[in-house]
Amino acid sequence: MLTRRRSVQLAVATTAIVALVAGGWMVAKEALTALAQSPQPSVPPTRALPPTPSPSPVASPSLDPVPSPTLDPPSMTTSPPGPPPAPRPCRYEGKRAAEAQVKAALEAAAGKRFWQNSATITIPATLIKAVAQHESGWQSNAVSCAGAYGVMQVMPDTQAWMNQRFGIEPAYDRKTLTGNTMLGSAYLQWLVKEMGDKHFGGDYTLRPCPTSTEKCLLNAVISAYEAGHQNVHDEISDGDSALYPNPDYVANVRYWMARY
């Protein structure tokens, strides 16, 4: 439409110029008047485009908080403790008996009953084997710096006392394998009665107890074998939480009992 209007105006203007040049003033005037009075082409109004709709905001999906993983506390180890340190005798005397001989002697000593009037006082083979393991490592010729001798590390006074207390004839000799293990068994059985009478109401049963620090006859007998019965009496009776003067010794013997 605009291009057509401009073409018409250009033609009229050209005619006017030609008329002026030719001296036709009147013709030029009429042409200019016609130009001014010519109808103006209508230009349709610009059609407004509808506004572009803004995209609706997309709601972010509601995410539930992810719970932090619950970590279980570290479990206690189930591995057994390591073995107690091996005994270190000061010296060795004579020839060492073979392990099979020591085992047979210990089992025979465990089966010997020294309290003839009490059928309930016995000791298990596991106890005497464990004491022997911790005392000497089953070395029949081991001698401690204090003078204890053999598999059960029997002192001279213990030898004399047990032989006298139980009226043993002929007396056991701590420097022989049989005599040494029998004296050790006699001492353990004497401790069962002594501790049972004084602290457990005459009950001589060596029941298993959960730990090496609890009050039970088994722990008391083990403790007294090394520390002496009077020291254990005093510790149990003094009213504090500690029951044994040598808890590590008790724990170590029990360690070996679990393995025999």
Side-chain angles (χ1 to χ4, degrees):
M1 181 68 70
L2 292 176
T3 303
R4 181 181 178 185
R5 177 188 175 193
R6 287 175 182 170
S7 299
V8 171
Q9 290 176 342
L10 182 58
V12 173
T14 302
T15 304
I17 293 170
V18 171
L20 286 173
V21 174
W25 166 250
M26 291 301 296
V27 175
K29 182 178 179 181
E30 291 177 0
L32 290 174
T33 301
L35 176 63
Q37 292 178 354
S38 63
Q40 300 294 323
S42 60
V43 179
T46 303
R47 186 176 181 181
L49 296 176
T52 303
S54 300
S56 300
V58 178
S60 299
S62 177
L63 299 177
D64 294 333
V66 178
S68 300
T70 302
L71 300 178
D72 294 331
S75 59
M76 298 296 290
T77 180
T78 57
S79 301
R88 296 180 178 178
C90 273
R91 65 184 189 278
Y92 298 94
E93 289 184 5
K95 184 179 178 181
R96 177 178 173 179
E99 182 176 330
Q101 294 175 304
V102 175
K103 179 181 178 182
L106 289 170
E107 290 175 348
K112 172 75 173 179
R113 291 185 177 178
F114 289 92
W115 292 105
Q116 298 297 328
N117 297 328
S118 178
T120 61
I121 299 179
T122 60
I123 60 169
T126 54
L127 174 58
I128 193 171
K129 288 178 179 179
V131 171
Q133 177 65 50
H134 189 57
E135 288 283 340
S136 68
W138 284 26
Q139 298 176 94
S140 62
N141 60 344
V143 183
S144 76
C145 299
Y149 190 92
V151 173
M152 299 300 292
Q153 291 291 280
V154 179
M155 295 290 288
D157 290 347
T158 305
Q159 172 183 291
W161 180 26
M162 291 296 101
N163 281 324
Q164 179 184 2
R165 177 64 186 81
F166 291 110
I168 300 171
E169 293 291 344
Y172 288 126
D173 181 358
R174 70 192 182 106
K175 292 194 175 183
T176 67
L177 177 59
T178 297
N180 189 278
T181 54
M182 286 294 181
L183 288 167
S185 178
Y187 186 35
L188 285 170
Q189 293 183 46
W190 183 87
L191 289 171
V192 170
K193 188 173 190 308
E194 175 72 8
M195 305 308 291
D197 287 342
K198 291 192 174 180
H199 299 286
F200 298 93
D203 184 355
Y204 308 130
T205 306
L206 293 173
R207 297 182 181 87
C209 40
T211 70
S212 59
T213 58
E214 294 187 27
K215 184 178 179 181
C216 69
L217 182 57
L218 176 62
N219 287 344
V221 168
I222 294 172
S223 176
Y225 190 90
E226 184 202 43
H229 64 281
Q230 190 59 52
N231 289 330
V232 178
H233 288 322
D234 295 343
E235 194 66 59
I236 291 177
S237 304
D238 65 6
D240 62 17
S241 59
L243 297 176
Y244 310 110
N246 52 350
D248 289 344
Y249 181 88
V250 177
N252 291 340
V253 170
R254 286 178 54 125
Y255 173 92
W256 290 116
M257 280 190 73
R259 283 150 180 79
Y260 287 121

